[in-house]
Amino acid sequence: MTQQNKKAQTTQQQKEQDYRQHVEQVTPTYSLTWQMIKAFIMGGIICLVGQFILNYATTRMGLDKETAASWCSMLLVLASVLLTGFNVYPKLVEWGGGGALVPITGFANSVASAAIEYQKEGQVFGIGCKIFTIAGPVILFGIVTSWGLGFIYWIGSLLGIV
């Protein structure tokens, strides 16, 4: 090996070592246990609010359970969209992680945030075309899975299995 090759190899190794050190410095470290606790708390708070709405609608407003559940869903979606619009929900997601993203409020947040982000491109080519960029795959795979499971159920009922 020539002197020039050894020098180039040493330089490459030094660059790799510097890069690894840089990555270790800028990569945030998280406690998985603490993240899970915060997600549990955040999801619990959202569910607590939903249960409060359900209880209030059934006991105080006299609605049946199905209507109360519809109102609960609509109010949670509305709250999520409003909090997204005022840039509060992203902070809740940053703190609570998956606890804020998994429920119906997280789905509403994904649709509202895409609409807010692309509104500058116009009503049709901005909001209309890109509103479901995040939520679209969820809707698509939900529909396809529902259709597939429904087809399996239908075949099972024809064969007398179900």
Side-chain angles (χ1 to χ4, degrees):
M1 194 178 251
T2 66
Q3 183 72 10
Q4 191 175 17
N5 286 345
K6 286 181 183 180
K7 194 174 189 179
Q9 187 178 10
T10 305
T11 304
Q12 182 65 25
Q13 289 173 344
Q14 183 63 39
K15 284 181 182 179
E16 289 175 8
Q17 184 178 4
D18 291 344
Y19 178 74
R20 274 190 240 110
Q21 287 176 346
H22 175 71
V23 168
E24 287 177 16
Q25 288 174 352
V26 298
T27 303
T29 56
Y30 296 105
S31 165
L32 180 61
T33 305
W34 182 237
Q35 287 297 107
M36 289 172 35
I37 290 169
K38 290 192 307 186
F40 181 78
I41 292 169
M42 181 59 64
I45 291 170
I46 292 170
C47 291
L48 185 70
V49 170
Q51 191 63 50
F52 174 79
I53 294 169
L54 278 173
N55 290 348
Y56 186 84
T58 54
T59 58
R60 301 286 177 125
M61 297 177 65
L63 299 176
D64 62 291
K65 286 186 178 185
E66 200 170 302
T67 306
S70 297
W71 274 99
C72 178
S73 296
M74 287 189 297
L75 289 174
L76 286 174
V77 167
L78 175 65
S80 174
V81 169
L82 289 175
L83 290 174
T84 300
F86 290 118
N87 203 27
V88 174
Y89 204 87
K91 292 174 183 158
L92 295 175
V93 171
E94 186 178 322
W95 186 84
L101 290 175
V102 173
I104 190 171
T105 54
F107 186 77
N109 168 278
S110 70
V111 174
S113 62
I116 291 168
E117 183 177 346
Y118 293 111
Q119 73 180 354
K120 62 186 168 283
E121 295 180 24
Q123 294 290 321
V124 176
F125 293 114
I127 297 173
C129 291
K130 298 183 180 172
I131 194 166
F132 291 113
T133 54
I134 298 170
V138 175
I139 295 169
L140 172 69
F141 290 115
I143 290 171
V144 170
T145 303
S146 298
W147 185 88
L149 292 173
F151 183 74
I152 292 169
Y153 180 81
W154 178 67
I155 296 295
S157 66
L158 286 177
L159 297 174
I161 298 171
V162 182

